[in-house]
Amino acid sequence: MYGADSCMADALLSLVDELRRATECTCTFGHEGAYQIFTILSDICKRKGHTEDVSLMRDLAPVLESQAICEEGRAIGRAVRQTLEHFAQEIEDHIGKKLCAAGSCRAFQTYHILVSKCIGCGDCLKACEDDAILGKPKFVHVVVQKNCTQCNKCLEVCPAGAVVTAGAQKPKTPPKPIPCKAK
Ligand code: SF4
Ligand code: SF4
């Protein structure tokens, strides 16, 4: 089920993937068209979308819907057309604003260190290979967003549960390390 916190780009990608795996059809539109749409959506969800992607899908969808031989191919065309009718802006934002409003596409998530939980142990700083964490002992550490590659290592090593990921709503964190309050 899709709810308010569902990402429509990600949801459409999953549906297209499911439908293209379900068919053995090799017709040009059902097979190649579906592959093209799948590739475009995958790139969008990986933060690698291009400005022309949405209009390309808008052109491809009705062709699949009317020309694919298999039902799955036609269903892909229909799903893409209907999704773009209602959620084109949300999908466009992944490309133009580098934003996944629902916060579900992993490539768009940001990492943050909570002041209320960080004990300043330095484990995340040691684990980060991208120079994306600032800190010193007993200070709340801070993620430098422009350097972060979303590798997840800081979150895995933190013994205090102080590292969190966020989508559109970001937790408030200091711009530079401050003395720890958490023990
Ligand atoms: S997610 Fe990876 S790159 Fe980003 S701050 Fe954590 S360890 Fe560093
Ligand atoms: S975020 Fe976690 S691992 Fe990093 S200094 Fe704070 S408590 Fe230690």
Side-chain angles (χ1 to χ4, degrees):
M1 282 296 286
Y2 304 131
D5 56 352
S6 303
C7 166
M8 295 316 293
D10 189 41
L12 186 58
L13 172 63
S14 300
L15 180 64
V16 168
D17 192 30
E18 197 181 307
L19 287 166
R20 61 184 270 277
R21 284 170 193 275
T23 180
E24 290 176 3
C25 181
T26 54
C27 74
T28 306
F29 298 113
H31 187 73
E32 297 301 326
Y35 177 74
Q36 237 181 309
I37 285 181
F38 172 76
T39 306
I40 291 169
L41 283 167
S42 296
D43 282 350
I44 289 173
C45 290
K46 285 181 196 150
R47 222 183 155 108
K48 292 178 185 164
H50 303 95
T51 42
E52 66 279 9
D53 284 350
V54 170
S55 60
L56 198 52
M57 286 195 290
R58 264 195 224 283
D59 291 344
L60 277 169
V63 180
L64 253 85
E65 200 175 355
S66 60
Q67 307 287 325
I69 292 171
C70 61
E71 173 50 33
E72 288 85 355
R74 293 194 295 276
I76 289 173
R78 194 162 52 244
V80 172
R81 177 181 57 76
Q82 289 174 344
T83 305
L84 291 179
E85 275 169 16
H86 300 284
F87 302 103
Q89 189 58 54
E90 183 183 330
I91 297 174
E92 288 271 15
D93 285 349
H94 285 67
I95 303 164
K97 294 187 182 170
K98 299 287 178 211
L99 171 74
C100 170
S104 69
C105 289
R106 195 170 181 278
F108 292 84
Q109 289 188 341
T110 47
Y111 284 73
H112 307 269
I113 295 174
L114 300 177
V115 174
S116 60
K117 292 195 172 173
C118 179
I119 53 173
C121 68
D123 287 0
C124 57
L125 186 68
K126 283 186 215 130
C128 181
E129 294 172 4
D130 297 292
D131 272 340
I133 294 183
L134 301 174
K136 56 185 179 178
K138 304 246 185 287
F139 273 66
V140 174
H141 286 43
V142 174
V143 176
V144 181
Q145 297 299 336
K146 68 179 172 56
N147 293 353
C148 179
T149 55
Q150 287 98 20
C151 75
N152 207 50
K153 286 183 184 145
C154 53
L155 193 146
E156 285 164 14
V157 300
C158 178
V163 183
V164 294
T165 57
Q169 300 284 340
K170 316 286 185 200
K172 205 160 178 275
T173 55
K176 56 184 188 180
I178 56 171
C180 285
K181 288 184 189 136
K183 300 271 181 230

